[in-house]
Amino acid sequence: MDHFLYRDGALFAEDVPLSEIAASVGTPFYVYSTATLERHYRLFDEALVGMDHLVCYAMKAASNQAILKTLAALGAGMDVVSGGEYARARAAGVPGDRIVFSGVGKTREEIAQALSGGIRQFNVESEPEMAVLSQVATQMGVTAPITIRVNPDVDARTHAKIATGKSENKFGIPIARAREVYAKAAALPGIEIIGIDVHIGSQLTDLEPFELAYKKVAELTEQLRADGHTIRRLDLGGGLGIPYARSNEAPPLPSDYGALIKRTVGHLGCEIEIEPGRLIAGNAGLLVSQVIYVKQGEGRQFLILDGAMNDLIRPAMYDAWHDIVPVVEPEPGRELVPYDIVGPVCESGDTFARGRMMPKLQAGDLVAFRSAGAYGAVMASEYNTRPLVPEVLVKGDHFAVIRARPTFDEMISRDTIPEWL
Ligand code: LLP
């Protein structure tokens, strides 16, 4: 459920008509709903009630300071994957002891940054990383709390580019080698083992892969405890999927996922962390765009929008489906026509949808891409020297620009000219 609904024939974000935001900030723009962000965070928090837990929002999904502050105010922790994300989380007021650091390529600088700023734990992904972590921590006279990310060799049954839990993926250490690697970790001076981490992929629409992975983690917990390690925290990753095509998708709910966690690892008495990104931010955001032209092609009609692949890359990159709806509600029974919906970027890949059935539209009409709140604005680029689109946050009947559209001068002035030119 989200808070983007038609009212009196117009699409609203909470209590604000999208047309009003468009008139004020111009198109395209991203808009997020505070009530939806909060609701989704709470669904996870409530799903884990009865277990000691922390929901660490995977901020790679949408990392605007205003979004982070909204979630942090509810008690959210953050899952970060770079020094930049760590700095963003701290700038939004998230204390270090609520930040977990994931990712396969943490540098010495990033490790030192997190150790000096404060960190809940590092999710270690390899033996060389573990060695560096121990070295940097020892040099700084501190101990780094860690989990080790295990790769359970489970098929997440999601798009190949976002599956991470198979042995051919670059993530984690093979679960079969876990005992050996934990023994090595225990012998390193700068490290304190806290627990185990697992994350098998993103946009999972079925609970079974989670169940397989979490059962393996439960078994490993018992083995590692028998080996003499303290395993008091399990980070179970993110990955729960959202309905992108609302007419025919109904992925499991956070409550089902919470029940699964209790069933598979609840008996171990560990503190539970989860790292959801998409489910918190995805349906809390839209990309709103305007039709520039309707172009008649050979046997097809193109809807040419002012938004493009550089603004929302998911369709080009993952063949992803986003529901695209007109901002003025079509009357019931209105005839639908097939459109190829494209952007102005000079690539054929700049196609959002082919043969998409839509009510007839014309130049100047506004459309909204649903489920664009996660992996939307954060993956945008300035390709074709198109400015990053602004982000807007709505709360009730208020809205605020939370990142402004840069001017061309601002964009150009980031380049510097060598003295010989
Ligand atoms: N934890 C780790 C270690 C991750 O790698 C990810 C996502 C998450 C948590 C959050 O997963 P979520 O709950 O959002 O599914 N750009 C792609 C998605 C990439 C996901 C990368 N890792 C897309 O647009 O579909």
Side-chain angles (χ1 to χ4, degrees), residues 34-48:
T34 301
T36 313
L37 286 167
E38 292 181 341
R39 180 186 136 80
H40 290 167
Y41 169 79
R42 289 201 176 104
L43 287 178
F44 279 113
D45 200 31
E46 285 159 15
L48 297 178

Side-chain angles (χ1 to χ4, degrees), residues 58 60 79 149 162 199 202-203 238-239 275-278 314 318 375 379:
K60 61 168 79 71
D79 170 43
R149 177 169 176 183
I162 52 176
H199 170 80
S202 194
Q203 185 54 17
E275 302 170 348
R278 190 190 311 266
R314 302 195 67 260
Y318 315 109
Y375 308 112
M379 293 182 79

Side-chain angles (χ1 to χ4, degrees), residues 44 56-61 79-81 100-103 123 125 149 158-159 161-164 171 197-204 210 235-242 244 274-281 312-315 317-318 320 322 374-376 378-379:
F44 279 113
C56 293
Y57 168 60
M59 59 179 276
K60 61 168 79 71
D79 170 43
V80 310
V81 291
V100 303
F101 204 141
S102 302
N123 293 333
E125 297 239 10
R149 177 169 176 183
T158 183
H159 190 284
K161 283 191 182 139
I162 52 176
T164 55
F171 300 97
D197 171 44
V198 70
H199 170 80
I200 55 174
S202 194
Q203 185 54 17
L204 272 70
F210 286 119
D235 181 331
L236 300 175
L240 194 59
I242 63 173
Y244 277 99
I274 53 170
E275 302 170 348
R278 190 190 311 266
L279 203 145
I280 291 181
L312 177 66
I313 201 162
R314 302 195 67 260
M317 191 150 170
Y318 315 109
H322 285 263
Y375 308 112
V378 284
M379 293 182 79

Side-chain angles (χ1 to χ4, degrees), residues 267-299:
H267 59 287
L268 297 166
C270 286
E271 182 186 357
I272 301 298
E273 275 167 12
I274 53 170
E275 302 170 348
R278 190 190 311 266
L279 203 145
I280 291 181
N283 285 332
L286 305 178
L287 173 66
V288 179
S289 184
Q290 190 171 53
V291 178
I292 310 178
Y293 298 114
V294 181
K295 173 174 166 176
Q296 188 61 53
E298 195 79 42

Side-chain angles (χ1 to χ4, degrees), residues 3-23:
H3 290 76
F4 301 108
L5 297 171
Y6 288 110
R7 270 194 218 168
D8 300 326
L11 192 58
F12 275 61
E14 301 191 16
D15 299 327
V16 182
L18 291 179
S19 56
E20 189 182 320
I21 304 175

